[in-house]
Amino acid sequence: MRLRNITGSREMIAESRFVVHEPQEYKGRWRELFSNDHPLRIEIGMGKGRFIMDLARMHPEINYVGIEKYSSVLLRGIQKMETDPLPNLYFIRMEAEEIADVFGREEVERIYLNFSDPWPKDRHAKRRLPSREFLKRYDEILVRDGVIEFKTDNEDLFRFALEEIAPAGWQLLQMTEDLHHDEKMLAGNVMTEYEEKFSALGNPIYKYVIAR
Ligand code: SAH
């Protein structure tokens, strides 16, 4: 998602108390930031942040970090936090490739990937967030019994993601090719902005849950 470049969005982010500006400094010490030892769950590619904000509101006993690479998009999340601040949620503006520099070994309890960029060209496969290259990074930061939950409406990306699981040493726990008509997997579902948009167009939503 790339919004029109909003003038000053970088400056507004630099001043925001909802953004962690030097996230590498918290590697292995995220508990100190939240001042508690609650589990930490992260969304990579949070966009405007509706999903992670809804989760943080519903689960004050869990800590959340939302990661987004574009300032103009992240700014929308910051604006929402200004009217509805949540003590158990912070944002980071960063490229997800650096994730293992920001979180320590087994520091993250769950990872959410929602409507990740498809990078359709073969030569860009490594940039896809559910690729084996990224699964290796997630392996470094996720607790042993931690899970990754991935949703998308992009069939090609989903098929690719399924094929990456075994070679990367992960296991499929649950999957559906039509989340909104899968009673079991739909229970407790929190919609993302993209999910609402694409399901309204009639696109089925694919979802998997994987672990090691
Ligand atoms: N999760 C949201 C937004 C989906 S769009 C939703 O479901 O509504 C995908 C988002 O991921 C975009 O905002 C994009 O900028 C971000 N993104 C994609 N690749 C990324 C990466 N490598 N690092 C950080 N953010 C990324």
Side-chain angles (χ1 to χ4, degrees):
M1 182 189 319
R2 199 160 194 172
L3 301 182
R4 184 171 44 84
N5 203 18
I6 300 164
T7 323
S9 60
R10 278 200 180 240
E11 289 76 2
M12 286 181 73
I13 287 167
E15 284 165 17
S16 174
R17 65 190 165 109
F18 304 116
V19 176
V20 180
H21 301 287
E22 302 288 348
Q24 299 86 344
E25 288 181 11
Y26 284 97
K27 182 172 179 174
R29 308 173 28 217
W30 283 88
R31 292 188 170 152
E32 292 173 27
L33 179 70
F34 291 99
S35 306
N36 61 47
D37 59 2
H38 299 170
L40 175 60
R41 299 184 178 176
I42 67 175
E43 183 185 9
I44 305 179
M46 60 167 243
K48 299 183 206 165
R50 177 174 128 186
F51 171 83
I52 197 147
M53 291 184 73
D54 283 348
L55 284 184
R57 208 174 292 111
M58 289 161 66
H59 298 286
E61 75 291 358
I62 294 171
N63 297 330
Y64 293 92
V65 169
I67 294 166
E68 171 53 51
K69 68 177 168 184
Y70 287 123
S71 316
S72 53
V73 188
L74 178 57
L75 189 62
R76 306 296 188 175
I78 292 172
Q79 287 164 339
K80 284 186 267 180
M81 279 281 262
E82 271 156 15
T83 48
D84 178 17
L86 293 159
N88 57 334
L89 172 62
Y90 284 93
F91 301 135
I92 307 175
R93 193 189 63 74
M94 67 176 266
E95 162 54 53
E97 279 179 23
E98 289 150 31
I99 197 96
D101 298 331
V102 164
F103 299 100
R105 196 155 280 282
E106 302 200 26
E107 193 165 25
V108 175
E109 196 241 6
R110 187 171 299 183
I111 298 173
Y112 297 103
L113 305 175
N114 292 315
F115 297 80
S116 309
D117 295 358
W119 293 105
K121 292 191 179 123
D122 283 346
R123 66 189 162 89
H124 290 149
K126 285 183 188 168
R127 298 186 190 174
R128 299 173 191 152
L129 294 183
S131 66
R132 65 191 72 186
E133 288 80 6
F134 271 97
L135 291 178
K136 208 166 159 212
R137 297 182 181 110
Y138 307 148
D139 185 41
E140 289 184 41
I141 64 170
L142 196 65
V143 297
R144 289 320 302 169
D145 59 353
V147 298
I148 300 177
E149 295 193 14
F150 169 53
K151 293 196 275 192
T152 183
D153 71 320
N154 187 306
E155 185 178 352
D156 289 343
L157 180 65
F158 191 69
R159 302 263 168 257
F160 166 82
L162 287 176
E163 284 169 15
E164 294 294 277
I165 299 170
W170 293 66
Q171 290 182 45
L172 184 64
L173 298 186
Q174 282 182 292
M175 72 159 263
T176 173
E177 296 185 348
D178 191 357
L179 176 63
H180 292 189
H181 296 98
D182 183 314
E183 207 180 318
K184 206 164 151 224
M185 284 189 76
L186 189 62
N189 185 52
V190 173
M191 292 253 261
T192 80
E193 259 135 358
Y194 273 46
E195 183 173 356
E196 187 157 284
K197 192 161 106 187
F198 293 124
S199 61
L201 297 174
N203 298 7
I205 306 301
Y206 301 82
K207 178 174 179 175
Y208 79 36
V209 181
I210 62 169
R212 285 158 295 179

